[in-house]
Amino acid sequence: PAWLRPVWSSAEEELATAAVWIVCGYSLPSYDLAIAELLRSAATTGSLRQILVLDPNASDVCCRYSAIVQNAQVVPLEGLPEGIKQLREIM
């Protein structure tokens, strides 16, 4: 809806400024085209280097992120709370 456009624009701007995205438990389902486009656009215009995905099915989920974000390393981590230790080691 039109009233959400400023929120989506702000989200894209913020994502575009980040070098690392940390995704916790969002599987990026194929039907969520709006989020996929938002992430693709932010990654294309920004300085994204790495996406850290915390999810019990991280290997499968990482394939989805890799498909829409070409120039960033996508790293699978365990789900929560187990993945926090891995996250600390990386950061």
Side-chain angles (χ1 to χ4, degrees):
W3 64 271
L4 275 178
R5 285 189 191 127
V7 174
W8 281 73
S9 294
S10 180
E12 184 176 339
E13 289 172 17
E14 292 298 322
L15 287 167
T17 64
V20 178
W21 296 350
I22 300 172
V23 180
C24 297
Y26 181 67
S27 65
L28 192 62
S30 60
Y31 60 80
D32 201 342
L33 302 175
I35 290 291
E37 183 54 36
L38 172 80
L39 298 176
R40 181 181 297 110
S41 180
T44 302
T45 60
S47 56
L48 180 65
R49 293 179 293 112
Q50 191 174 52
I51 302 173
L52 307 173
V53 179
L54 290 93
D55 191 279
N57 302 309
S59 296
D60 294 333
V61 174
C62 283
C63 292
R64 295 182 199 137
Y65 282 92
S66 294
I68 64 164
V69 178
Q70 308 294 314
N71 299 324
Q73 176 190 26
V74 182
V75 180
L77 303 175
E78 294 181 51
L80 296 175
E82 298 84 2
I84 296 297
K85 181 179 178 187
Q86 294 173 295
L87 186 59
R88 284 187 187 129
E89 292 170 1
I90 291 172
M91 300 303 286

